[in-house]
C-alpha cells in the first residue's frame, strides 16, 4: 500500500500564532496601546480637559471608539473625567509620571550631547550656559570648524548686557535675580534703560538674542532659550563666530537651526511645543 505523506503544519506558538506572525507583532508593538495613546497625545496638545467628542476628533477617531480607551485609562489613573462637566483630562498617574520624568532629566547633559552636531551644522563654536550663583555661567564649549579666538571656556561668566547668552537670561530669567546680577556687573540701572529694555522685548518676541561686534570687533553671536516643563528658563544655547560667517538674521538658516535645537531640548525637558514668549517674571 502506498503511504501518503501529510504536509507538516507550520509550528505554532502558545497563543496559536505562527513564529513569523508573532515576531512581526513583537516588532510592531501592541497596536491598541498605540491607538489609545493618540488620546493622551491629544490632551497634551490641547493643554486642557476636553469633552469626549472634541477629544476623539483631536485624536482622529470616532467617539464610540475613544470611549472604551478612556474608561481603561481612567481605571489606572492616566485619565480622569470631571464629574460636573464630563470633560476628560490627565489623571494623577499621568501627572506623577511627568514629575518623575522631569526629575530624572539633566538639562546640561542633554544640551552637551547636542552641541557637537550643532557646531558642525552652524560651522561655528557653540556653548551652553546656566544660571549660576552670580549670574549666567558657561558650562560647556564646543569648538566648530572655524576657530574663534575669544576667552571663553567652561566656567566663564557671561555678561547680561553685552553677550548673546547673557541677554537670553536677562530677557527670560526672573527679573529680581537679573537686577541683582546686573548690579554686580556695575549695570544697576540697565533694566531702566529704554534701549536695553526694548532689546529685551525683541529677544522675547523672537526667541533669539543677537550681538554683533559688541565685545570684540569681528566677532558676533546669537543665542536661544531652552525651557523646562514648568516654563522656566533651563539654559541658553549660543553660537559664536566671525561676523562675516555668522548670519544674524532671525529668519536665516543658522538661526533656524539654533532654534530647532532649543525647541528639541525644551520638549525633552517637558516644555510645550510652543516656547513661552515672556519669561521675565
Amino acid at each position: 500500500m502506498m503511504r501518503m505523506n501529510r504536509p507538516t503544519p507550520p509550528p505554532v506558538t502558545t497563543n496559536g500564532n505562527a513564529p513569523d506572525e508573532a515576531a512581526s507583532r513583537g516588532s510592531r508593538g501592541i497596536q491598541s496601546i498605540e491607538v489609545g495613546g493618540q488620546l493622551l497625545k491629544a490632551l497634551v496638545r490641547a493643554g486642557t480637559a476636553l469633552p469626549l467628542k472634541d477629544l476623539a476628533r483631536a485624536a482622529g477617531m470616532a467617539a464610540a471608539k475613544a470611549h472604551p480607551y478612556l474608561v481603561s485609562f481612567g481605571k489606572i489613573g492616566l485619565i480622569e473625567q470631571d464629574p460636573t462637566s464630563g470633560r476628560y483630562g490627565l489623571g494623577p498617574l499621568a501627572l506623577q509620571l511627568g514629575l518623575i520624568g522631569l526629575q530624572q532629566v539633566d538639562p546640561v547633559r542633554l544640551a552637551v550631547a547636542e552641541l557637537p552636531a550643532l557646531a558642525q551644522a552652524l560651522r561655528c563654536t557653540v556653548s551652553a550656559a546656566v544660571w549660576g550663583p552670580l549670574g549666567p555661567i558657561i558650562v560647556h564649549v564646543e569648538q566648530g570648524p572655524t576657530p574663534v579666538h575669544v576667552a571663553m571656556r567652561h566656567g566663564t561668566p557671561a555678561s547680561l548686557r553685552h553677550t548673546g547668552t547673557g541677554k537670553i537670561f536677562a530677557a527670560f530669567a526672573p527679573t529680581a535675580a537679573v537686577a541683582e546680577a546686573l548690579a554686580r556687573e556695575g549695570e544697576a540701572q540697565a533694566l531702566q534703560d529704554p534701549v536695553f529694555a526694548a532689546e529685551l522685548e525683541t529677544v522675547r518676541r523672537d526667541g533669539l538674542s543677537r550681538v554683533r561686534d559688541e565685545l570684540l570687533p569681528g566677532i558676533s553671536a546669537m543665542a536661544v532659550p531652552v525651557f523646562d516643563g514648568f516654563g522656566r528658563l533651563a539654559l541658553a544655547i549660543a553660537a559664536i563666530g566671525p561676523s562675516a560667517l555668522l548670519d544674524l538674521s532671525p529668519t536665516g538658516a543658522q538661526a533656524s537651526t539654533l532654534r530647532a535645537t532649543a525647541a528639541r531640548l525644551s520638549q525633552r525637558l517637558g516644555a510645550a511645543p510652543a516656547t513661552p514668549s515672556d519669561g521675565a517674571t
Side-chain angles (χ1 to χ4, degrees), residues 86-213:
R87 291 171 175 257
Y88 291 89
L90 293 176
L93 178 58
L95 300 179
Q96 291 167 15
L97 289 171
L99 291 173
I100 292 172
L102 290 175
Q103 293 170 8
Q104 293 178 344
V105 173
D106 180 354
V108 174
R109 177 180 60 81
L110 292 179
V112 168
E114 292 271 1
L115 293 187
L118 181 61
Q120 293 300 316
L122 297 179
R123 309 291 297 172
C124 63
T125 296
V126 295
S127 68
V130 300
W131 187 268
L134 302 178
I137 186 167
I138 295 170
V139 293
H140 191 83
V141 177
E142 189 72 33
Q143 297 292 338
T146 304
V148 180
H149 303 291
V150 296
M152 184 177 67
R153 61 185 184 278
H154 311 340
T156 301
S159 166
L160 282 162
R161 188 160 190 179
H162 300 292
T163 66
T165 291
K167 290 177 183 181
I168 288 295
F169 284 96
F172 293 102
T175 302
V178 170
E180 290 180 10
L182 282 167
R184 284 191 291 268
E185 292 181 12
E187 300 274 5
Q189 303 303 314
L191 294 179
Q192 284 70 52
D193 181 350
V195 175
F196 187 52
E199 184 178 6
L200 295 185
E201 283 300 321
T202 300
V203 171
R204 296 183 189 109
R205 181 196 68 206
D206 295 342
L208 178 77
S209 67
R210 296 173 289 164
V211 173
R212 181 181 295 277
D213 306 330

Side-chain angles (χ1 to χ4, degrees), residues 63 75 81 224 232 251:
K75 289 181 179 179
Q81 184 180 21
V224 290
R232 300 174 305 201
T251 58

Side-chain angles (χ1 to χ4, degrees), residues 36-124:
Q38 297 304 314
L39 293 163
L40 298 175
K41 291 181 179 180
L43 277 177
V44 171
R45 290 193 300 268
T48 186
L50 294 173
L52 172 60
K53 183 172 66 174
D54 294 344
L55 177 54
R57 185 188 304 114
M61 65 180 73
K65 180 179 180 180
H67 186 260
Y69 288 103
L70 295 174
V71 171
S72 294
F73 286 151
K75 289 181 179 179
I76 61 174
L78 282 174
I79 294 286
E80 65 179 5
Q81 184 180 21
D82 184 277
T84 303
S85 67
R87 291 171 175 257
Y88 291 89
L90 293 176
L93 178 58
L95 300 179
Q96 291 167 15
L97 289 171
L99 291 173
I100 292 172
L102 290 175
Q103 293 170 8
Q104 293 178 344
V105 173
D106 180 354
V108 174
R109 177 180 60 81
L110 292 179
V112 168
E114 292 271 1
L115 293 187
L118 181 61
Q120 293 300 316
L122 297 179
R123 309 291 297 172
C124 63

Side-chain angles (χ1 to χ4, degrees), residues 218-230:
I219 299 296
S220 293
M222 57 184 171
V224 290
V226 174
F227 297 98
D228 65 18
F230 299 100

Side-chain angles (χ1 to χ4, degrees), residues 206-259:
D206 295 342
L208 178 77
S209 67
R210 296 173 289 164
V211 173
R212 181 181 295 277
D213 306 330
E214 194 160 327
L215 283 179
L216 291 173
I219 299 296
S220 293
M222 57 184 171
V224 290
V226 174
F227 297 98
D228 65 18
F230 299 100
R232 300 174 305 201
L233 181 65
L235 50 87
I237 302 293
I240 307 97
S243 298
L245 300 179
L246 190 61
D247 179 11
L248 295 184
S249 168
T251 58
Q254 288 173 307
S256 297
T257 299
L258 198 58
R259 281 200 192 94

